[in-house]
């Protein structure tokens, strides 16, 4: 562990037979209780890495045929990684787990049987998978304290039950920042291509690989060589303990999307909490409570009218004299007596005299003319 806390220069100098080794640039100590879930692929937080820093992780081992080769490739470059072991694999190859610890790598767990259904499991189904995976990995280790409280959900198929149970055990759930698809039926060259392409797109992050695949063994040396050529640096992650405090960081360092001065923050300022029970109260507000107000003299102030009930509105009675009721025979027709009106109320209509009709002209008289 003392070696794992060294600098990249120290690693390169101490790397047997390889003074130009990639090495491990630094060790990052994390507190699972402060940051229980990591990985930009699924969570809002990830490891607080600087630009061009990479954390390499491996899942599903140990499997002697390929895991031993992966260990040797990492040792040749003095690179430290994080391994998430499966319980039944640790039961079948406990020596492989002890090799991880002897090489100074971080060891986490990856369930007992690698079920690809944890996103649908109940708490009763999740519990034995997590517990047995931890138990068999600890049983394989000479020193059980070498097991870190890191856990990765199989297939990254997260669910409420597994995340809640992991949190209750104080485990830090790891996702990833980018993949190399080395579990698919692709070539080692394609694994290398995807790993570097996706890393360069992000500039840093957690790489997820599998130490049980031949294609991963084929791609890993070229990945490490490219990391060295392109000035990437390897970061080793370990869990905080009482004797090993967490690396000082800022809260925004863990955010996948960090706020900046150019990015508006959609949060209102926090309101200062007030204790209503301890506040001074009055039966009735006074004018002094409202500051300086331009009010009328006290003599001219009248009490406000109550808003409810509203005072009854008395209708105004018309004061104009009432006309006598019309007589009943006024509406009879024809009228009993001829209507009479004053002379100037009647208009005389005169019609012009009619012209005499023209006499017809006989045809015989026209012929005489």
């Amino acid at each position: 562990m003392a070696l794992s806390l060294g600098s990249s220069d120290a690693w390169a100098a101490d790397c047997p037979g390889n003074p130009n080794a990639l090495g491990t640039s630094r060790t990052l100590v994390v507190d699972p209780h402060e940051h229980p879930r990591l990985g930009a692929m699924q969570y809002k937080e990830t490891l607080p890495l600087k630009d061009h820093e990479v954390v390499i992780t491996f899942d599903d081992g140990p499997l002697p045929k390929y895991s031993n080769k992966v260990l040797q490739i990492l040792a040749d470059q003095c690179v430290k990684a994080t391994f998430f072991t499966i319980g039944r694999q640790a039961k079948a190859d406990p020596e492989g787990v002890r090799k991880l610890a002897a090489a100074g790598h971080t060891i986490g767990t990856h369930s007992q049987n690698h079920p690809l259904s944890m996103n649908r499991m109940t708490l009763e189904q999740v519990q034995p998978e997590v517990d047995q995976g931890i138990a068999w990995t600890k049983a394989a280790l000479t020193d059980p304290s070498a097991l870190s409280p890191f856990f990765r959900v199989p297939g990254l198929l997260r669910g409420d039950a597994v995340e809640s149970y992991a949190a209750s055990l104080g485990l830090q759930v790891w996702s990833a920042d980018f993949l190399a698809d080395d579990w698919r039926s692709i070539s080692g060259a394609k694994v290398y291509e995807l790993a570097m392409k996706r890393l360069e797109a992000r500039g840093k992050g957690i790489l997820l690989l599998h130490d049980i695949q031949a294609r991963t063994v084929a791609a890993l040396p070229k990945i490490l060589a490219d990391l060295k050529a392109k000035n990437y640096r390897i970061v080793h992650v370990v869990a905080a303990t009482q004797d090993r405090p967490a690396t000082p960081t800022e809260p925004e360092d863990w955010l996948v999307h960090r706020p900046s001065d150019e990015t508006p923050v959609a949060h209102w300022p926090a309101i200062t909490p007030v204790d209503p029970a301890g506040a001074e109260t009055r039966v009735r507000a006074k004018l002094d409570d409202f500051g300086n107000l331009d009010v009328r003299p006290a003599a001219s102030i009248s009490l406000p009218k109550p808003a409810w009930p509203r005072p009854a509105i008395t209708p105004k009675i018309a004061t104009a004299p009432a006309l006598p009721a019309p007589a009943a025979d006024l509406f009879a027709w024809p009228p009993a007596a001829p209507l009479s009106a004053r002379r100037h109320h009647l208009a005389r209509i005169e019609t012009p005299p009619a012209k005499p009709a023209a006499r017809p002209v006989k045809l015989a008289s026209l012929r005489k003319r």
Side-chain angles (χ1 to χ4, degrees), residues 117-258:
S117 56
M118 276 198 165
N119 56 330
R120 303 188 303 272
M121 283 185 173
T122 63
L123 180 60
E124 291 73 18
Q125 295 170 323
V126 163
Q127 191 169 357
E129 277 292 335
V130 176
D131 291 347
Q132 292 175 23
I134 294 173
W136 280 110
T137 304
K138 280 187 175 181
L141 291 167
T142 305
D143 180 10
S145 65
L147 180 63
S148 297
F150 299 160
F151 177 80
R152 180 173 273 161
V153 181
L156 301 183
L157 297 174
R158 54 178 287 198
D160 291 340
V162 63
E163 289 177 346
S164 299
Y165 186 64
S168 69
L169 298 179
L171 300 177
Q172 188 176 60
V173 178
W174 283 50
S175 180
D177 293 336
F178 61 102
L179 311 173
D181 295 1
D182 59 336
W183 69 92
R184 295 169 48 202
S185 297
I186 58 177
S187 65
K190 187 63 175 179
V191 172
Y192 154 76
E193 177 187 342
L194 291 175
M196 297 308 302
K197 179 181 178 181
R198 292 168 179 174
L199 171 58
E200 291 178 1
R202 288 189 53 84
K204 60 180 180 179
I206 306 169
L207 170 61
L208 191 157
L209 296 170
H210 296 79
D211 60 322
I212 63 170
Q213 301 289 349
R215 62 184 66 94
T216 307
V217 174
L220 187 57
K222 194 172 182 181
I223 291 174
L224 298 181
D226 246 23
L227 293 177
K228 173 71 174 180
K230 296 180 179 180
N231 296 319
Y232 284 94
R233 300 176 302 278
I234 299 298
V235 175
H236 184 209
V237 183
V238 298
T241 62
Q242 293 182 350
D243 301 327
R244 184 174 57 201
T247 301
T249 57
E250 296 295 333
E252 59 268 19
D253 295 339
W254 296 80
L255 298 178
V256 173
H257 303 288
R258 296 183 59 178

Side-chain angles (χ1 to χ4, degrees), residues 46-99:
T46 191
L47 290 172
L49 301 177
K50 301 174 184 176
D51 186 45
H52 273 63
E53 287 189 335
V54 182
V55 173
I56 301 179
T57 65
F58 295 92
D59 287 4
D60 296 355
L63 187 64
K65 182 177 180 180
Y66 300 117
S67 297
N68 289 337
K69 295 179 181 179
V70 168
L71 282 176
Q72 187 59 53
I73 294 171
L74 296 177
D76 291 342
Q77 292 291 329
C78 292
V79 167
K80 299 301 179 184
T82 300
F83 288 79
F84 293 92
T85 63
I86 294 178
R88 69 182 183 188
Q89 300 287 80
K91 180 180 179 181
D93 182 27
E95 181 62 26
V97 180
R98 289 191 287 271
K99 285 181 179 180

